[in-house]
């Protein structure tokens, strides 16, 4: 058995309850079309600053045709982008930034431990660790079937959307 998530016990989450739908996530995140990578948010704990969301990985995802034809694997950078989108949604929802959007400022200590394939549910767990002057540090774990496939830290920065 592989490494299991430590940021939250996934067995305590009611997967039949959706906290935010894709349409509601759009109120916070600007991503659309192929780059809209969250299906839903399933859990939030504002006290611990943890959010859990997921992507039901479609068979026709834009990367399937060309990334390992015949054995499509979700690229690691796309896994990180999925986690970053959940982190962005949650940071804006918690009003860590009040104007603009959250941009990817960096990735630290990222490790890939498994694979993600079409048909999988990629579960994303983020914990807002620090917020300082419109910069955030977010711990993340990504899991399939309750086993970690990626983990690390995301650094988010506030990007103004108007001049």
């Amino acid at each position: 058995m592989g490494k299991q998530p430590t940021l939250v016990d996934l067995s305590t989450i009611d997967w039949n309850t959706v906290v935010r739908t894709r349409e509601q996530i759009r109120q916070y995140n600007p991503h659309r079309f192929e780059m809209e990578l969250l299906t839903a948010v399933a859990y939030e704990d504002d006290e611990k600053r943890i959010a859990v969301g997921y992507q039901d990985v479609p068979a026709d995802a834009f990367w399937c045709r060309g990334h390992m034809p015949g054995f499509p694997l979700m690229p690691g950078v796309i896994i990180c982008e999925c986690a970053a989108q959940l982190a962005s949604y949650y940071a804006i929802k918690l009003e860590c930034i009040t104007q603009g959007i959250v941009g990817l400022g960096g990735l630290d200590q990222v490790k890939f431990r498994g694979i993600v394939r079409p048909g999988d549910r990629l579960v994303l767990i983020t914990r807002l660790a620090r917020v300082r002057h419109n910069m955030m540090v977010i711990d993340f774990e990504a899991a399939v079937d309750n086993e970690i496939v990626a983990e690390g830290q995301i650094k988010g920065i506030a990007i103004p959307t108007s001049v």
Side-chain angles (χ1 to χ4, degrees):
M1 181 182 284
K3 184 176 177 184
Q4 295 189 349
T6 59
L7 295 175
V8 71
D9 180 355
L10 294 179
S11 70
T12 64
I13 296 174
D14 177 2
W15 296 102
N16 296 314
T17 301
V18 171
V19 174
R20 293 272 190 261
T21 64
R22 177 173 277 162
E23 291 75 27
Q24 292 168 319
I25 294 167
R26 288 177 180 154
Q27 297 170 12
Y28 299 87
N29 283 358
H31 309 87
R32 298 294 184 271
F33 310 111
E34 297 86 3
M35 287 308 295
E36 190 173 24
L37 300 175
L38 291 177
T39 301
V41 176
Y43 174 84
E44 294 176 359
D45 183 333
D46 292 351
E47 186 177 309
K48 293 181 181 174
R49 296 161 69 150
I50 292 174
V52 178
Y54 59 89
Q55 182 193 48
D56 289 325
V57 182
D60 64 348
F62 71 91
W63 48 265
C64 286
R65 190 169 63 98
H67 196 255
M68 311 300 179
F71 191 75
L73 302 175
M74 180 182 270
V77 295
I78 302 295
I79 296 170
C80 291
E81 176 64 22
C82 292
Q85 287 186 22
L86 178 62
S88 170
Y89 151 78
Y90 200 52
I92 293 171
K93 184 214 172 237
L94 290 180
E95 298 181 348
C96 294
I97 66 165
T98 56
Q99 294 180 359
I101 58 174
V102 178
L104 184 61
L107 296 167
D108 282 335
Q109 301 174 9
V110 175
K111 293 179 178 68
F112 299 103
R113 301 184 179 281
I115 62 172
V116 181
R117 306 225 30 223
D120 286 343
R121 173 168 279 183
L122 176 63
V123 174
L124 306 148
I125 307 154
T126 60
R127 181 176 62 87
L128 191 54
R130 291 188 300 280
V131 178
R132 214 178 300 141
H133 306 291
N134 286 330
M135 188 192 95
M136 291 135 273
V137 176
I138 300 103
D139 298 321
F140 84 92
E141 295 173 328
V144 172
D145 295 329
N146 206 31
E147 291 191 11
I148 292 181
V149 294
E151 63 184 320
Q153 280 191 336
I154 298 166
K155 292 184 179 174
I157 55 171
I159 299 174
T161 54
S162 61
V163 182

Short mmCIF file of all heavy atoms in Angstrom, two decimals, residues 76-142:
data_model
loop_
_atom_site.label_atom_id
_atom_site.label_comp_id
_atom_site.label_asym_id
_atom_site.label_seq_id
_atom_site.Cartn_x
_atom_site.Cartn_y
_atom_site.Cartn_z
N GLY A 76 2.77 15.55 -14.75
CA GLY A 76 2.95 16.07 -13.40
C GLY A 76 2.64 17.55 -13.28
O GLY A 76 2.09 17.99 -12.27
N VAL A 77 2.99 18.31 -14.30
CA VAL A 77 2.72 19.75 -14.24
C VAL A 77 1.21 20.01 -14.23
O VAL A 77 0.76 21.00 -13.63
CB VAL A 77 3.41 20.54 -15.38
CG1 VAL A 77 4.91 20.47 -15.25
CG2 VAL A 77 2.95 20.07 -16.73
N ILE A 78 0.43 19.15 -14.86
CA ILE A 78 -1.03 19.31 -14.85
C ILE A 78 -1.58 18.96 -13.47
O ILE A 78 -2.49 19.61 -12.96
CB ILE A 78 -1.70 18.47 -15.95
CG1 ILE A 78 -1.17 18.86 -17.34
CG2 ILE A 78 -3.22 18.60 -15.89
CD1 ILE A 78 -1.51 20.27 -17.78
N ILE A 79 -1.02 17.93 -12.83
CA ILE A 79 -1.41 17.61 -11.45
C ILE A 79 -1.16 18.81 -10.55
O ILE A 79 -2.01 19.21 -9.75
CB ILE A 79 -0.66 16.37 -10.93
CG1 ILE A 79 -1.03 15.13 -11.76
CG2 ILE A 79 -0.93 16.14 -9.45
CD1 ILE A 79 -0.17 13.91 -11.47
N CYS A 80 0.02 19.42 -10.70
CA CYS A 80 0.35 20.61 -9.90
C CYS A 80 -0.60 21.76 -10.21
O CYS A 80 -1.02 22.49 -9.30
CB CYS A 80 1.80 21.02 -10.13
SG CYS A 80 2.99 19.86 -9.45
N GLU A 81 -0.96 21.93 -11.47
CA GLU A 81 -1.90 22.99 -11.86
C GLU A 81 -3.28 22.76 -11.24
O GLU A 81 -3.92 23.70 -10.79
CB GLU A 81 -2.01 23.10 -13.38
CG GLU A 81 -3.02 24.10 -13.87
CD GLU A 81 -2.75 25.56 -13.52
OE1 GLU A 81 -1.58 25.91 -13.24
OE2 GLU A 81 -3.70 26.36 -13.53
N CYS A 82 -3.72 21.51 -11.19
CA CYS A 82 -5.00 21.20 -10.54
C CYS A 82 -4.97 21.65 -9.08
O CYS A 82 -5.91 22.29 -8.59
CB CYS A 82 -5.29 19.71 -10.61
SG CYS A 82 -5.64 19.04 -12.25
N ALA A 83 -3.89 21.30 -8.38
CA ALA A 83 -3.75 21.69 -6.97
C ALA A 83 -3.67 23.21 -6.84
O ALA A 83 -4.26 23.80 -5.93
CB ALA A 83 -2.52 21.03 -6.36
N ALA A 84 -2.95 23.86 -7.76
CA ALA A 84 -2.84 25.32 -7.72
C ALA A 84 -4.19 25.99 -7.92
O ALA A 84 -4.49 27.02 -7.30
CB ALA A 84 -1.83 25.80 -8.77
N GLN A 85 -5.04 25.42 -8.77
CA GLN A 85 -6.37 25.99 -8.99
C GLN A 85 -7.23 25.87 -7.74
O GLN A 85 -7.98 26.78 -7.39
CB GLN A 85 -7.05 25.37 -10.20
CG GLN A 85 -6.43 25.84 -11.50
CD GLN A 85 -7.16 25.36 -12.73
OE1 GLN A 85 -8.34 25.01 -12.67
NE2 GLN A 85 -6.47 25.33 -13.85
N LEU A 86 -7.13 24.75 -7.02
CA LEU A 86 -7.85 24.62 -5.76
C LEU A 86 -7.31 25.62 -4.75
O LEU A 86 -8.09 26.29 -4.05
CB LEU A 86 -7.74 23.19 -5.23
CG LEU A 86 -8.42 22.95 -3.87
CD1 LEU A 86 -9.93 23.21 -3.95
CD2 LEU A 86 -8.14 21.53 -3.39
N ALA A 87 -6.00 25.76 -4.68
CA ALA A 87 -5.39 26.72 -3.75
C ALA A 87 -5.81 28.14 -4.08
O ALA A 87 -6.11 28.94 -3.18
CB ALA A 87 -3.87 26.59 -3.80
N SER A 88 -5.85 28.48 -5.35
CA SER A 88 -6.27 29.82 -5.79
C SER A 88 -7.71 30.09 -5.38
O SER A 88 -8.02 31.13 -4.79
CB SER A 88 -6.12 29.93 -7.31
OG SER A 88 -6.71 31.11 -7.79
N TYR A 89 -8.59 29.15 -5.69
CA TYR A 89 -9.99 29.30 -5.29
C TYR A 89 -10.09 29.57 -3.80
O TYR A 89 -10.76 30.50 -3.35
CB TYR A 89 -10.79 28.02 -5.65
CG TYR A 89 -11.95 27.80 -4.73
CD1 TYR A 89 -13.12 28.54 -4.88
CD2 TYR A 89 -11.86 26.91 -3.66
CE1 TYR A 89 -14.18 28.37 -3.99
CE2 TYR A 89 -12.90 26.73 -2.78
CZ TYR A 89 -14.06 27.47 -2.94
OH TYR A 89 -15.09 27.33 -2.05
N TYR A 90 -9.42 28.75 -2.99
CA TYR A 90 -9.57 28.84 -1.55
C TYR A 90 -8.95 30.11 -0.97
O TYR A 90 -9.52 30.73 -0.07
CB TYR A 90 -8.99 27.59 -0.90
CG TYR A 90 -9.52 27.34 0.49
CD1 TYR A 90 -10.88 27.32 0.74
CD2 TYR A 90 -8.65 27.13 1.56
CE1 TYR A 90 -11.37 27.09 2.01
CE2 TYR A 90 -9.13 26.90 2.83
CZ TYR A 90 -10.50 26.88 3.06
OH TYR A 90 -10.98 26.65 4.33
N ALA A 91 -7.82 30.52 -1.50
CA ALA A 91 -7.19 31.76 -1.02
C ALA A 91 -8.07 32.97 -1.31
O ALA A 91 -8.19 33.87 -0.47
CB ALA A 91 -5.82 31.93 -1.68
N ILE A 92 -8.70 32.99 -2.47
CA ILE A 92 -9.59 34.11 -2.79
C ILE A 92 -10.86 34.03 -1.94
O ILE A 92 -11.33 35.04 -1.42
CB ILE A 92 -9.92 34.13 -4.30
CG1 ILE A 92 -8.65 34.47 -5.09
CG2 ILE A 92 -11.02 35.14 -4.61
CD1 ILE A 92 -8.79 34.30 -6.59
N LYS A 93 -11.39 32.84 -1.76
CA LYS A 93 -12.59 32.67 -0.93
C LYS A 93 -12.33 33.15 0.50
O LYS A 93 -13.18 33.79 1.11
CB LYS A 93 -13.03 31.21 -0.93
CG LYS A 93 -14.32 31.01 -0.16
CD LYS A 93 -14.31 29.66 0.52
CE LYS A 93 -15.50 29.56 1.45
NZ LYS A 93 -15.14 29.29 2.81
N LEU A 94 -11.16 32.84 1.03
CA LEU A 94 -10.82 33.27 2.39
C LEU A 94 -10.37 34.73 2.46
O LEU A 94 -10.02 35.21 3.53
CB LEU A 94 -9.72 32.38 2.97
CG LEU A 94 -10.11 30.94 3.30
CD1 LEU A 94 -8.91 30.18 3.85
CD2 LEU A 94 -11.28 30.89 4.27
N GLU A 95 -10.36 35.40 1.30
CA GLU A 95 -9.98 36.81 1.18
C GLU A 95 -8.53 37.05 1.60
O GLU A 95 -8.21 38.08 2.21
CB GLU A 95 -10.94 37.70 1.95
CG GLU A 95 -12.36 37.63 1.40
CD GLU A 95 -13.35 38.52 2.13
OE1 GLU A 95 -13.03 39.06 3.21
OE2 GLU A 95 -14.46 38.67 1.59
N CYS A 96 -7.66 36.09 1.29
CA CYS A 96 -6.22 36.30 1.50
C CYS A 96 -5.72 37.37 0.56
O CYS A 96 -4.74 38.05 0.87
CB CYS A 96 -5.46 35.00 1.28
SG CYS A 96 -5.86 33.74 2.50
N ILE A 97 -6.34 37.49 -0.59
CA ILE A 97 -6.14 38.63 -1.46
C ILE A 97 -7.52 39.20 -1.74
O ILE A 97 -8.51 38.47 -1.81
CB ILE A 97 -5.39 38.30 -2.77
CG1 ILE A 97 -6.21 37.40 -3.67
CG2 ILE A 97 -4.03 37.70 -2.50
CD1 ILE A 97 -5.69 37.33 -5.09
N THR A 98 -7.59 40.50 -1.87
CA THR A 98 -8.88 41.14 -2.06
C THR A 98 -9.05 41.72 -3.45
O THR A 98 -10.15 42.11 -3.81
CB THR A 98 -9.09 42.25 -1.01
OG1 THR A 98 -7.99 43.16 -1.09
CG2 THR A 98 -9.16 41.65 0.39
N GLN A 99 -7.97 41.79 -4.21
CA GLN A 99 -8.06 42.29 -5.58
C GLN A 99 -7.16 41.43 -6.47
O GLN A 99 -6.09 41.02 -6.06
CB GLN A 99 -7.59 43.74 -5.66
CG GLN A 99 -8.50 44.68 -4.92
CD GLN A 99 -8.02 46.13 -5.03
OE1 GLN A 99 -7.01 46.41 -5.64
NE2 GLN A 99 -8.76 47.02 -4.44
N GLY A 100 -7.63 41.18 -7.68
CA GLY A 100 -6.83 40.44 -8.64
C GLY A 100 -7.06 38.95 -8.54
O GLY A 100 -8.07 38.48 -8.03
N ILE A 101 -6.08 38.21 -9.05
CA ILE A 101 -6.13 36.76 -9.07
C ILE A 101 -4.87 36.20 -8.42
O ILE A 101 -3.90 36.94 -8.20
CB ILE A 101 -6.27 36.21 -10.52
CG1 ILE A 101 -5.08 36.68 -11.39
CG2 ILE A 101 -7.59 36.63 -11.14
CD1 ILE A 101 -5.05 36.08 -12.77
N VAL A 102 -4.87 34.92 -8.15
CA VAL A 102 -3.68 34.27 -7.61
C VAL A 102 -2.93 33.61 -8.76
O VAL A 102 -3.51 32.84 -9.52
CB VAL A 102 -4.06 33.21 -6.55
CG1 VAL A 102 -2.81 32.51 -6.03
CG2 VAL A 102 -4.83 33.84 -5.41
N GLY A 103 -1.67 33.94 -8.88
CA GLY A 103 -0.82 33.34 -9.90
C GLY A 103 0.18 32.38 -9.27
O GLY A 103 0.49 32.49 -8.08
N LEU A 104 0.68 31.47 -10.06
CA LEU A 104 1.66 30.51 -9.59
C LEU A 104 3.01 31.19 -9.44
O LEU A 104 3.57 31.70 -10.41
CB LEU A 104 1.75 29.33 -10.56
CG LEU A 104 2.66 28.17 -10.17
CD1 LEU A 104 2.20 27.54 -8.86
CD2 LEU A 104 2.68 27.13 -11.27
N GLY A 105 3.52 31.22 -8.23
CA GLY A 105 4.79 31.87 -7.96
C GLY A 105 5.95 30.89 -7.83
O GLY A 105 7.11 31.27 -7.93
N GLY A 106 5.63 29.62 -7.60
CA GLY A 106 6.68 28.63 -7.48
C GLY A 106 6.17 27.32 -6.92
O GLY A 106 5.06 27.24 -6.40
N LEU A 107 7.00 26.32 -7.05
CA LEU A 107 6.73 24.99 -6.50
C LEU A 107 7.97 24.56 -5.73
O LEU A 107 9.08 24.74 -6.21
CB LEU A 107 6.44 23.98 -7.62
CG LEU A 107 5.20 24.23 -8.47
CD1 LEU A 107 5.23 23.34 -9.71
CD2 LEU A 107 3.94 23.97 -7.66
N ASP A 108 7.78 23.99 -4.56
CA ASP A 108 8.89 23.50 -3.75
C ASP A 108 8.61 22.07 -3.29
O ASP A 108 7.46 21.72 -3.03
CB ASP A 108 9.09 24.37 -2.51
CG ASP A 108 9.82 25.67 -2.80
OD1 ASP A 108 10.57 25.72 -3.79
OD2 ASP A 108 9.63 26.64 -2.04
N GLN A 109 9.67 21.31 -3.17
CA GLN A 109 9.63 19.97 -2.60
C GLN A 109 8.55 19.09 -3.22
O GLN A 109 7.92 18.29 -2.53
CB GLN A 109 9.45 20.06 -1.08
CG GLN A 109 10.56 20.83 -0.41
CD GLN A 109 10.31 21.04 1.07
OE1 GLN A 109 9.39 20.49 1.66
NE2 GLN A 109 11.14 21.85 1.69
N VAL A 110 8.31 19.24 -4.51
CA VAL A 110 7.30 18.45 -5.20
C VAL A 110 7.85 17.05 -5.48
O VAL A 110 8.96 16.90 -5.98
CB VAL A 110 6.83 19.14 -6.50
CG1 VAL A 110 5.87 18.25 -7.28
CG2 VAL A 110 6.19 20.48 -6.19
N LYS A 111 7.03 16.06 -5.14
CA LYS A 111 7.39 14.67 -5.41
C LYS A 111 6.20 14.00 -6.08
O LYS A 111 5.05 14.22 -5.70
CB LYS A 111 7.70 13.94 -4.10
CG LYS A 111 8.95 14.45 -3.42
CD LYS A 111 9.19 13.70 -2.12
CE LYS A 111 10.44 14.14 -1.43
NZ LYS A 111 10.40 15.48 -0.91
N PHE A 112 6.50 13.19 -7.08
CA PHE A 112 5.47 12.40 -7.76
C PHE A 112 5.63 10.96 -7.31
O PHE A 112 6.72 10.40 -7.38
CB PHE A 112 5.60 12.56 -9.28
CG PHE A 112 5.42 13.99 -9.72
CD1 PHE A 112 6.51 14.76 -10.08
CD2 PHE A 112 4.16 14.56 -9.72
CE1 PHE A 112 6.36 16.08 -10.46
CE2 PHE A 112 3.99 15.89 -10.10
CZ PHE A 112 5.09 16.65 -10.47
N ARG A 113 4.53 10.37 -6.85
CA ARG A 113 4.59 9.04 -6.24
C ARG A 113 3.71 8.01 -6.94
O ARG A 113 3.69 6.86 -6.54
CB ARG A 113 4.18 9.14 -4.78
CG ARG A 113 5.06 10.07 -3.98
CD ARG A 113 4.68 10.05 -2.51
NE ARG A 113 5.51 10.91 -1.72
CZ ARG A 113 6.73 10.62 -1.30
NH1 ARG A 113 7.29 9.47 -1.63
NH2 ARG A 113 7.42 11.46 -0.57
N GLY A 114 2.94 8.45 -7.94
CA GLY A 114 2.04 7.53 -8.61
C GLY A 114 1.56 8.13 -9.91
O GLY A 114 2.03 9.19 -10.32
N ILE A 115 0.63 7.44 -10.56
CA ILE A 115 0.15 7.91 -11.85
C ILE A 115 -1.33 8.26 -11.79
O ILE A 115 -2.06 7.78 -10.93
CB ILE A 115 0.41 6.86 -12.97
CG1 ILE A 115 -0.35 5.56 -12.70
CG2 ILE A 115 1.90 6.60 -13.12
CD1 ILE A 115 -0.29 4.57 -13.83
N VAL A 116 -1.74 9.12 -12.73
CA VAL A 116 -3.13 9.51 -12.89
C VAL A 116 -3.49 9.22 -14.33
O VAL A 116 -2.78 9.63 -15.25
CB VAL A 116 -3.34 11.00 -12.56
CG1 VAL A 116 -4.81 11.38 -12.72
CG2 VAL A 116 -2.82 11.34 -11.18
N ARG A 117 -4.61 8.50 -14.52
CA ARG A 117 -5.03 8.09 -15.85
C ARG A 117 -6.46 8.56 -16.10
O ARG A 117 -7.20 8.83 -15.15
CB ARG A 117 -4.96 6.58 -15.98
CG ARG A 117 -3.58 6.04 -15.61
CD ARG A 117 -2.97 5.02 -16.48
NE ARG A 117 -3.35 5.09 -17.85
CZ ARG A 117 -3.65 4.03 -18.58
NH1 ARG A 117 -3.64 2.83 -18.06
NH2 ARG A 117 -3.96 4.16 -19.85
N PRO A 118 -6.86 8.64 -17.36
CA PRO A 118 -8.26 8.96 -17.66
C PRO A 118 -9.19 7.99 -16.93
O PRO A 118 -8.91 6.80 -16.83
CB PRO A 118 -8.34 8.77 -19.18
CG PRO A 118 -6.94 9.00 -19.65
CD PRO A 118 -6.06 8.44 -18.58
N GLY A 119 -10.28 8.54 -16.40
CA GLY A 119 -11.23 7.75 -15.62
C GLY A 119 -10.99 7.81 -14.13
O GLY A 119 -11.87 7.45 -13.34
N ASP A 120 -9.80 8.26 -13.71
CA ASP A 120 -9.51 8.39 -12.28
C ASP A 120 -10.20 9.62 -11.70
O ASP A 120 -10.47 10.60 -12.41
CB ASP A 120 -8.00 8.56 -12.03
CG ASP A 120 -7.20 7.28 -12.23
OD1 ASP A 120 -7.81 6.19 -12.24
OD2 ASP A 120 -5.97 7.39 -12.38
N ARG A 121 -10.45 9.58 -10.41
CA ARG A 121 -10.82 10.79 -9.67
C ARG A 121 -9.55 11.24 -8.96
O ARG A 121 -9.04 10.57 -8.06
CB ARG A 121 -11.93 10.54 -8.66
CG ARG A 121 -12.17 11.79 -7.78
CD ARG A 121 -13.41 11.71 -6.96
NE ARG A 121 -14.54 12.05 -7.82
CZ ARG A 121 -15.79 12.14 -7.38
NH1 ARG A 121 -16.07 11.90 -6.10
NH2 ARG A 121 -16.77 12.47 -8.21
N LEU A 122 -9.03 12.38 -9.39
CA LEU A 122 -7.85 12.98 -8.77
C LEU A 122 -8.33 13.87 -7.63
O LEU A 122 -8.97 14.90 -7.87
CB LEU A 122 -7.05 13.79 -9.79
CG LEU A 122 -5.84 14.55 -9.25
CD1 LEU A 122 -4.80 13.58 -8.68
CD2 LEU A 122 -5.24 15.43 -10.34
N VAL A 123 -8.04 13.46 -6.40
CA VAL A 123 -8.44 14.22 -5.22
C VAL A 123 -7.30 15.14 -4.84
O VAL A 123 -6.14 14.73 -4.77
CB VAL A 123 -8.79 13.27 -4.05
CG1 VAL A 123 -9.06 14.06 -2.78
CG2 VAL A 123 -9.99 12.41 -4.41
N LEU A 124 -7.64 16.40 -4.61
CA LEU A 124 -6.65 17.43 -4.30
C LEU A 124 -6.91 17.98 -2.91
O LEU A 124 -8.05 18.29 -2.57
CB LEU A 124 -6.75 18.55 -5.33
CG LEU A 124 -6.63 18.03 -6.76
CD1 LEU A 124 -7.44 18.85 -7.72
CD2 LEU A 124 -5.18 17.92 -7.16
N ILE A 125 -5.86 18.06 -2.13
CA ILE A 125 -5.96 18.56 -0.76
C ILE A 125 -4.97 19.70 -0.63
O ILE A 125 -3.79 19.54 -0.94
CB ILE A 125 -5.60 17.46 0.26
CG1 ILE A 125 -6.43 16.20 0.01
CG2 ILE A 125 -5.78 17.96 1.69
CD1 ILE A 125 -5.77 14.93 0.49
N THR A 126 -5.46 20.86 -0.19
CA THR A 126 -4.57 21.99 0.02
C THR A 126 -4.75 22.53 1.43
O THR A 126 -5.85 22.51 1.99
CB THR A 126 -4.83 23.13 -0.99
OG1 THR A 126 -6.18 23.59 -0.85
CG2 THR A 126 -4.58 22.68 -2.41
N ARG A 127 -3.64 22.98 1.99
CA ARG A 127 -3.67 23.64 3.30
C ARG A 127 -2.91 24.94 3.18
O ARG A 127 -1.72 24.96 2.83
CB ARG A 127 -3.03 22.77 4.38
CG ARG A 127 -3.09 23.43 5.78
CD ARG A 127 -2.54 22.52 6.85
NE ARG A 127 -1.14 22.20 6.64
CZ ARG A 127 -0.12 22.95 7.07
NH1 ARG A 127 -0.32 24.06 7.72
NH2 ARG A 127 1.12 22.57 6.83
N LEU A 128 -3.60 26.02 3.44
CA LEU A 128 -2.98 27.34 3.39
C LEU A 128 -2.07 27.48 4.61
O LEU A 128 -2.53 27.57 5.74
CB LEU A 128 -4.06 28.41 3.39
CG LEU A 128 -3.67 29.83 3.10
CD1 LEU A 128 -2.91 29.95 1.79
CD2 LEU A 128 -4.91 30.71 3.06
N ALA A 129 -0.75 27.40 4.39
CA ALA A 129 0.22 27.39 5.48
C ALA A 129 0.60 28.80 5.94
O ALA A 129 0.69 29.05 7.14
CB ALA A 129 1.47 26.62 5.06
N ARG A 130 0.83 29.71 4.98
CA ARG A 130 1.25 31.08 5.33
C ARG A 130 0.70 32.07 4.31
O ARG A 130 0.63 31.77 3.13
CB ARG A 130 2.77 31.19 5.34
CG ARG A 130 3.44 30.44 6.45
CD ARG A 130 4.94 30.74 6.56
NE ARG A 130 5.74 30.42 5.38
CZ ARG A 130 6.19 29.21 5.06
NH1 ARG A 130 5.86 28.18 5.78
NH2 ARG A 130 6.94 29.04 4.00
N VAL A 131 0.38 33.25 4.81
CA VAL A 131 -0.01 34.36 3.94
C VAL A 131 0.78 35.57 4.41
O VAL A 131 0.79 35.89 5.60
CB VAL A 131 -1.53 34.67 4.04
CG1 VAL A 131 -1.87 35.86 3.17
CG2 VAL A 131 -2.35 33.47 3.66
N ARG A 132 1.45 36.22 3.46
CA ARG A 132 2.26 37.39 3.80
C ARG A 132 2.27 38.34 2.60
O ARG A 132 2.71 37.96 1.52
CB ARG A 132 3.68 36.94 4.10
CG ARG A 132 4.35 37.74 5.17
CD ARG A 132 5.75 37.23 5.48
NE ARG A 132 5.71 35.84 5.94
CZ ARG A 132 6.60 34.93 5.61
NH1 ARG A 132 7.61 35.22 4.84
NH2 ARG A 132 6.51 33.71 6.06
N HIS A 133 1.77 39.54 2.78
CA HIS A 133 1.85 40.57 1.74
C HIS A 133 1.46 40.05 0.35
O HIS A 133 2.24 40.12 -0.60
CB HIS A 133 3.25 41.19 1.68
CG HIS A 133 3.71 41.72 2.99
ND1 HIS A 133 3.16 42.83 3.59
CD2 HIS A 133 4.67 41.27 3.84
CE1 HIS A 133 3.77 43.06 4.74
NE2 HIS A 133 4.69 42.13 4.92
N ASN A 134 0.28 39.50 0.27
CA ASN A 134 -0.24 38.99 -1.00
C ASN A 134 0.60 37.86 -1.59
O ASN A 134 0.66 37.68 -2.80
CB ASN A 134 -0.42 40.11 -2.03
CG ASN A 134 -1.63 40.94 -1.67
OD1 ASN A 134 -2.59 40.45 -1.08
ND2 ASN A 134 -1.60 42.21 -2.03
N MET A 135 1.29 37.12 -0.73
CA MET A 135 1.98 35.90 -1.15
C MET A 135 1.53 34.78 -0.22
O MET A 135 1.38 34.98 0.98
CB MET A 135 3.49 36.04 -1.05
CG MET A 135 4.22 34.85 -1.67
SD MET A 135 5.97 34.81 -1.28
CE MET A 135 5.94 33.71 0.12
N MET A 136 1.27 33.62 -0.80
CA MET A 136 0.78 32.49 -0.03
C MET A 136 1.68 31.28 -0.21
O MET A 136 2.24 31.10 -1.29
CB MET A 136 -0.62 32.10 -0.49
CG MET A 136 -1.68 33.11 -0.15
SD MET A 136 -2.78 33.41 -1.55
CE MET A 136 -1.87 34.69 -2.39
N VAL A 137 1.78 30.47 0.83
CA VAL A 137 2.45 29.18 0.74
C VAL A 137 1.39 28.14 1.09
O VAL A 137 0.74 28.23 2.13
CB VAL A 137 3.65 29.08 1.70
CG1 VAL A 137 4.26 27.68 1.65
CG2 VAL A 137 4.70 30.13 1.35
N ILE A 138 1.21 27.19 0.19
CA ILE A 138 0.17 26.20 0.32
C ILE A 138 0.79 24.81 0.26
O ILE A 138 1.51 24.49 -0.70
CB ILE A 138 -0.88 26.35 -0.81
CG1 ILE A 138 -1.53 27.72 -0.76
CG2 ILE A 138 -1.93 25.26 -0.75
CD1 ILE A 138 -1.02 28.67 -1.80
N ASP A 139 0.53 23.98 1.26
CA ASP A 139 0.92 22.57 1.21
C ASP A 139 -0.15 21.84 0.41
O ASP A 139 -1.35 22.15 0.54
CB ASP A 139 0.99 21.98 2.61
CG ASP A 139 2.03 22.66 3.48
OD1 ASP A 139 3.11 23.00 2.96
OD2 ASP A 139 1.76 22.86 4.68
N PHE A 140 0.27 20.88 -0.41
CA PHE A 140 -0.73 20.12 -1.16
C PHE A 140 -0.39 18.65 -1.23
O PHE A 140 0.76 18.25 -1.13
CB PHE A 140 -0.92 20.69 -2.58
CG PHE A 140 0.07 20.21 -3.59
CD1 PHE A 140 -0.19 19.09 -4.38
CD2 PHE A 140 1.28 20.87 -3.77
CE1 PHE A 140 0.74 18.63 -5.32
CE2 PHE A 140 2.21 20.43 -4.71
CZ PHE A 140 1.93 19.30 -5.49
N GLU A 141 -1.45 17.87 -1.36
CA GLU A 141 -1.35 16.44 -1.66
C GLU A 141 -2.37 16.16 -2.75
O GLU A 141 -3.45 16.75 -2.78
CB GLU A 141 -1.67 15.59 -0.42
CG GLU A 141 -0.67 15.76 0.70
CD GLU A 141 -1.06 15.05 1.98
OE1 GLU A 141 -2.27 14.93 2.28
OE2 GLU A 141 -0.14 14.63 2.70
N ALA A 142 -2.03 15.26 -3.64
CA ALA A 142 -2.94 14.80 -4.68
C ALA A 142 -3.00 13.29 -4.56
O ALA A 142 -1.97 12.63 -4.40
CB ALA A 142 -2.43 15.22 -6.06
#
